[in-house]
Amino acid sequence: MPRPRSNSNPAYARRPSAGKTGKGRPKGDHRARQPAHEYELEALPGLEEVAATELAGVPLARDIRGLRFWYPGSPERLTRLRAAVAAYRIQSWDVPRPRGLLGHQQLGELVGYVREVVEVGGHRSFRIGAAGKESPTMQRLAEELSAALGLPHDPEEGELLLRLRPSASGQGWDVLARITPRPLSARAWRECNMGGGLNATIAYAMHKLAGQRDEDRIFNPMSGSGTLLIERALLGPYAAMVGVDISEGAVACARTNLRAAGKEVEVAQVDALHTGLPARSFDLVITDLPWGDAIGSHQSNETLYPAFLKEMHRLTSRRGRLCLLTHELRLFERVMREQDDWEAKELFQVYSGGHHPKAYLLHKRG
């Protein structure tokens, strides 16, 4: 069993102050003087607060209302958000029904707006998402946009998703255009997929809420395709990190994705319950436990869950913590009642892929 590999990333260099020029005069951010556009983030249900917290850290984002905000300049910065599933640019029209968008002036404005999004995102097709998208009005709108933009209309797989909905004010209609061809949750590093793989935005949320510490020694048992490992590696420094999985195919998949992400993290084919590692090897253990559908079975989980909690208690440091995600909610809560080693706090419950799993953060008692 390999020992955790230290993170070789250098500490972040301290940046010089950008607030003044060499002559001591204020140097404002030139982006603040560029035209601002309105945007909205989409988050998995249950992760809205995590996405809002990340949005609050985006320089120059202003007039933030939940996940809706104004932002000047290029949207490239928004494509690097990791808690959101998607980012949309928004434009509103004072029309009583979508049919009003077919008017000469409104259609010209709509085409110009969509063209700007396509020029940035490089979309090669589009689709419309709205109630009644099969109606004659929506079909006509799709035909007009396709002809004006030279962009194929693909109702099922179109890269540019256009959503139409009534404006929040109750007057007019909003058109939301997704600024990327794929959802933000479809990470560029994911070259290998596995059934039951963890959504990357959930992995990001687990790490942020479990606490991000440069001095952490991190263990990811049952590491699957490597999502939890990569999302943490991308967050910044850590003392050491290692992942294990009993499946040879999963280990190969994780290594493929780690290479694509440009990260070096040790992953080994080892049973998480029999690693041979010494006690108190880790400060954070983080995992997506089998749910008994795509991976494992409900019957095997009856044995796995209590054994897992016992072994992770041995492997974590005195003040270590265990962060886990599961959809076996009744089983997990029953196992927790029957043990005395851990105390748990629920972090979130999220809706993803037809499931409602919960994430928990556990600390040692005493």
Side-chain angles (χ1 to χ4, degrees), residues 148-222:
L149 297 168
L151 205 63
H153 174 228
D154 184 341
E156 302 301 326
E157 303 293 335
E159 291 184 344
L160 173 58
L161 174 58
L162 296 173
R163 294 169 51 195
L164 278 71
R165 70 184 186 196
S167 297
S169 65
Q171 297 180 343
W173 282 75
D174 292 340
V175 179
L176 293 79
R178 193 174 69 192
I179 64 176
T180 54
R182 300 194 305 166
L184 298 178
S185 55
R187 304 295 204 242
W189 52 256
R190 192 179 291 282
E191 295 184 356
C192 177
N193 283 295
M194 291 181 59
L198 182 62
N199 184 296
T201 60
I202 299 177
Y204 171 85
M206 290 174 66
H207 277 296
K208 295 302 289 186
L209 296 178
Q212 179 186 342
R213 302 174 186 173
D214 294 358
E215 66 272 17
D216 272 341
R217 299 164 298 161
I218 304 168
F219 182 43
N220 178 205
M222 309 173 198

